[in-house]
Amino acid sequence: MSVKNLASHPIGIFDSGIGGLTVTRALINLLPNENILYFGDTAHHPYGEKSTAAIQSYSLKIAQLFLEKNCKLILIACNTASSAAFELLKDYVGEKATVMNVIDPLVQQLPKKYANKKIGLIGTKQTVNSNIYKKKVDQLNAGIHMTSYPTNLLASAIEEFGNHEIVNDLLRVYLDHPSLKNIEALILACTHYPIVKDKIANFYQHKIDIIDSSDIVAEAVKVQLAALNLLNTEPSVRKDFYISDYIESFVTSTKLFFDEDIQLEHYPL
Amino acid sequence: MSVKNLASHPIGIFDSGIGGLTVTRALINLLPNENILYFGDTAHHPYGEKSTAAIQSYSLKIAQLFLEKNCKLILIACNTASSAAFELLKDYVGEKATVMNVIDPLVQQLPKKYANKKIGLIGTKQTVNSNIYKKKVDQLNAGIHMTSYPTNLLASAIEEFGNHEIVNDLLRVYLDHPSLKNIEALILACTHYPIVKDKIANFYQHKIDIIDSSDIVAEAVKVQLAALNLLNTEPSVRKDFYISDYIESFVTSTKLFFDEDIQLEHYPL
C-alpha cells in the first residue's frame, strides 16, 4: 500500500466514555483532514475504579477493533488507560500502527517552564495510584517536584452537573488537600477536567498555571504524523463515533465535550 | 433431592457492586443459618448509567452462575437491576430457583401507612427513568401519589466520602428539587443510601419518614423461604463473596456496608 493511501487511514481514539471527545475536538480543530474513529467504552465506564488487568483487557479489545479498521495511529485519549495499558498496547500493536498516549506529550513540555518547581496533579484513583506522571517526570531529571491527589468523583460530577455550584464545593474539598499546597502549576490528568478549567483557575485566584493536555496532545499527534509522512492531505470523509453501551443521555452529554451534535453508534465490545 | 438438602443450598445475592452488602447484612442478621453467595459486578459498576439491555445481559450471566452453584433463591439486591432485569430473570430461571427483587417487598408495605398520601423516591437514573416503583404503586390503587428524582452521583459520593460534609451539600442540591416537595415519606431506592439515612432525615428535620428496604426485604425473603419450607435449620457453612473486578480499595469499602471484614474473591463474568 502506498504511503498516500495509508495517510487516508483513520486515527483511532479511545476513552472509557465520552470524555475523550475533548482531545478529539482539539485534534479535529488542528487536523481537519484526518479521518477519525472514536471508541467510548461506556459499558465499563468509569475506568478510574477498575483494576489494571481489567483496563488492559478492554484496551486490547478496542485496539483490535482499530487494527481491523486499519487505523494508522491509535491515541489512548484517557489518562487512566494511558497509565494502565500504553506499554502493553505498543507491544501488541507493534508495527501495524503508531500508539500514542495523553501523558508523554504533556510530561515532555514540563522542564521548559517548571524545572526545579513544585507542580500538582489531579486525576482518577487509577491514574494517581499508578504514579506514572511522577515516574516519567523524575526520569527527566529536571528537579520537578510532583505531588498528586485522586479526585475520583470529579469526572462524574462534571458529567452530571456541568457548571453547577456543587462542582465548586467538590473542587474545594479536593483542592484544599495538603498534598496540593504551594504548587506553581496543576496538571488536569483527566479528559473531563478541562470543562471546569475556569473554576479550578478561580480556586487558585489565577495565581498558578492550569495545564490541560488537549492541545498539547493534538500538536504531538500532528508532529508524529508529519514525521511519518502520514498527514492526510485529502478532505476527511469519515468521523465515526462508537460506544460499547448506548443510553439516550449520552447524546446530550457529548455536546458538553464536543461542542456539536454527533451520531453515536452502539458497538458492543 | 430432599427438601432438607435443598434448604441448605445457598441464597444468591447480587448487586452492581458492593452496595448490596447492606441487604446481605440485614438478611444474615435475620437468617444466620443461611448459606450465602454474594456477587458484586464491579467490572460494570455502576449500573445506574448503563442501558437496560446491558444490565439484563450482566444479570443473566450472574443468574447462570448462581444456578450452577445450586442457589435455592436469587435476590436481586440492586434497585437498578431489579427494575431492568427482574421479569427476564424470573422467566430465565423458571422452576430452578425463586427469584426476588428489592422493589416488590417495599411497595407492598406502602398502602398500610401511605394510602392517599404523597411520597417521594430517590434512586439512580435507570431506576427513576424505568418508573417501576410508580407503576407498581399505581397498580395497588391506594391513592398513593409518587414522585421521584434521580440522584445519580449520590452512591459514588457515599462510597468515596462516607459521612463527609460534601455529601450533605450534594443531598441539599438533590433533595431541594421541586419534584420532591411536600412529600410525607421518602423511599431510598438504592442500596447505598441507607448509609446516609441520618443525614437525609436531618435534611427533612425528621418530619417525614425515610423508608429503607433492607429490613423489609430480609423479612420478605424469610417469609418466602418459610412458605416453601426452605429455611435452613443447620448452621451456615459458607458465605462467599465474589466480585467481577478486584481492586484493593473494595476491601476497606466493604466495611462501610457490612460492618465486618470479608474475603472478596475475584470471579470475572
Side-chain angles (χ1 to χ4, degrees):
Chain A
M1 191 177 297
S2 76
V3 166
K4 187 169 175 226
N5 281 344
L6 193 52
S8 71
H9 288 196
I11 297 174
I13 305 173
F14 78 91
D15 178 49
S16 64
I18 53 182
L21 290 173
T22 51
V23 180
T24 308
R25 177 79 273 168
L27 196 70
I28 291 172
N29 289 347
L30 188 69
L31 300 170
N33 286 342
E34 296 300 325
N35 294 306
I36 302 285
L37 275 188
Y38 182 87
F39 194 98
D41 189 11
T42 49
H44 300 106
H45 177 81
Y47 278 2
E49 301 269 314
K50 304 295 187 290
S51 68
T52 302
I55 296 163
Q56 288 176 333
S57 134
Y58 309 145
S59 299
L60 284 174
K61 287 182 187 172
I62 298 166
Q64 185 54 42
L65 169 70
F66 284 161
L67 292 178
E68 284 161 19
K69 303 272 185 186
N70 294 314
C71 289
K72 60 182 177 184
L73 186 144
I74 294 173
L75 172 63
I76 311 176
C78 166
N79 278 272
T80 307
S82 289
S83 75
F86 172 63
E87 296 297 333
L88 176 64
L89 278 203
K90 231 175 39 174
D91 247 43
Y92 179 78
V93 168
E95 301 295 307
K96 292 176 201 145
T98 304
V99 181
M100 293 183 70
N101 64 59
V102 289
I103 298 174
D104 289 322
L106 188 147
V107 168
Q108 282 149 21
Q109 301 280 316
L110 295 176
K112 271 189 276 178
K113 197 167 171 192
Y114 304 105
N116 303 311
K117 291 187 173 168
K118 182 178 176 187
I119 58 179
L121 176 145
I122 54 174
T124 66
K125 192 184 287 181
Q126 247 288 347
T127 300
V128 169
N129 288 353
S130 75
N131 234 350
I132 190 161
Y133 276 88
K134 189 168 168 48
K135 283 178 206 157
K136 286 175 185 279
V137 162
D138 287 350
Q139 281 163 11
L140 298 171
N141 283 318
I144 299 171
H145 175 50
M146 174 170 269
T147 63
S148 60
Y149 192 68
T151 50
N152 302 316
L153 217 60
L154 188 54
S156 316
I158 292 168
E159 258 178 52
E160 173 156 3
F161 290 109
N163 270 307
H164 188 288
E165 182 59 26
I166 188 74
V167 177
N168 270 333
D169 296 336
L170 190 61
L171 277 173
R172 267 191 298 275
V173 172
Y174 284 133
L175 301 179
D176 263 335
H177 195 268
S179 53
L180 296 177
K181 289 292 167 212
N182 305 316
I183 52 176
E184 299 196 36
L186 181 73
I187 294 173
L188 308 186
C190 172
T191 50
H192 279 64
Y193 302 170
I195 290 168
V196 292
K197 194 173 176 176
D198 287 348
K199 285 188 193 305
I200 295 172
N202 284 340
F203 174 87
Y204 290 105
Q205 301 174 293
H206 300 269
K207 287 175 184 160
I208 73 165
D209 298 335
I210 310 301
I211 307 172
D212 151 20
S213 66
S214 298
D215 292 330
I216 297 169
V217 169
E219 185 61 37
V221 170
K222 185 180 178 184
V223 168
Q224 181 70 38
L225 287 178
L228 296 167
N229 202 19
L230 284 180
L231 283 167
N232 197 20
T233 50
E234 307 292 319
S236 168
V237 291
R238 88 187 268 209
K239 292 191 172 62
D240 289 336
F241 298 88
Y242 299 123
I243 48 177
S244 54
D245 187 30
Y246 186 91
I247 61 171
E248 234 7 76
S249 64
F250 288 141
V251 179
T252 41
S253 306
T254 50
K255 267 202 165 166
L256 189 65
F257 296 94
F258 201 69
D259 295 332
E260 61 177 281
D261 282 325
I262 50 182
Q263 182 79 31
L264 294 170
E265 286 175 59
H266 185 199
Y267 195 107
L269 258 200
Chain B
M1 193 177 296
S2 75
V3 165
K4 186 167 177 231
N5 281 344
L6 194 51
S8 71
H9 288 195
I11 297 174
I13 305 173
F14 77 91
D15 178 49
S16 65
I18 53 181
L21 289 173
T22 50
V23 180
T24 307
R25 177 78 273 168
L27 196 68
I28 291 172
N29 289 347
L30 189 68
L31 300 170
N33 287 342
E34 296 300 327
N35 293 306
I36 302 285
L37 276 187
Y38 182 87
F39 194 98
D41 190 11
T42 49
H44 299 108
H45 178 80
Y47 279 1
E49 301 268 313
K50 304 293 187 291
S51 69
T52 302
I55 296 162
Q56 288 176 332
S57 134
Y58 309 144
S59 300
L60 284 174
K61 286 182 188 172
I62 298 166
Q64 184 56 43
L65 169 71
F66 284 160
L67 292 178
E68 284 162 18
K69 303 271 186 187
N70 294 312
C71 288
K72 61 182 176 183
L73 186 144
I74 294 173
L75 171 64
I76 312 177
C78 166
N79 278 271
T80 306
S82 289
S83 75
F86 172 62
E87 296 297 333
L88 176 64
L89 278 203
K90 232 176 36 175
D91 247 44
Y92 178 78
V93 169
E95 301 295 307
K96 292 176 202 145
T98 304
V99 182
M100 294 183 70
N101 63 60
V102 288
I103 298 174
D104 288 323
L106 189 146
V107 168
Q108 283 149 20
Q109 301 281 316
L110 295 176
K112 270 188 278 179
K113 195 165 172 194
Y114 303 105
N116 303 311
K117 292 188 172 166
K118 181 178 176 187
I119 58 180
L121 176 145
I122 54 175
T124 66
K125 192 183 286 181
Q126 248 286 348
T127 300
V128 169
N129 287 354
S130 75
N131 234 348
I132 190 161
Y133 276 88
K134 189 170 167 48
K135 282 178 207 158
K136 286 175 185 280
V137 163
D138 288 350
Q139 281 162 12
L140 297 171
N141 284 318
I144 299 172
H145 175 50
M146 174 170 270
T147 64
S148 60
Y149 191 67
T151 50
N152 303 316
L153 217 58
L154 188 54
S156 315
I158 292 167
E159 259 179 51
E160 174 156 3
F161 291 107
N163 269 308
H164 189 288
E165 182 60 27
I166 188 75
V167 177
N168 270 332
D169 297 337
L170 189 62
L171 276 172
R172 268 191 298 274
V173 172
Y174 284 133
L175 300 179
D176 263 335
H177 194 269
S179 53
L180 296 177
K181 290 291 166 213
N182 305 317
I183 53 175
E184 300 195 38
L186 181 72
I187 294 173
L188 308 186
C190 173
T191 49
H192 280 64
Y193 302 170
I195 291 169
V196 292
K197 194 172 176 177
D198 287 348
K199 285 187 192 304
I200 295 172
N202 284 341
F203 173 87
Y204 290 106
Q205 300 173 294
H206 300 268
K207 286 176 184 159
I208 74 165
D209 297 335
I210 311 300
I211 307 171
D212 151 20
S213 65
S214 298
D215 292 330
I216 298 170
V217 169
E219 185 61 37
V221 170
K222 185 181 178 182
V223 167
Q224 181 70 37
L225 287 178
L228 297 167
N229 202 19
L230 284 180
L231 282 167
N232 196 20
T233 50
E234 307 293 319
S236 169
V237 290
R238 89 186 267 209
K239 294 191 172 62
D240 289 335
F241 299 89
Y242 299 123
I243 49 177
S244 53
D245 186 29
Y246 186 91
I247 61 172
E248 233 8 75
S249 66
F250 287 141
V251 179
T252 41
S253 306
T254 50
K255 267 200 166 169
L256 189 65
F257 296 94
F258 201 68
D259 295 333
E260 62 177 280
D261 282 324
I262 50 182
Q263 182 79 31
L264 294 169
E265 286 174 59
H266 186 199
Y267 195 108
L269 257 199

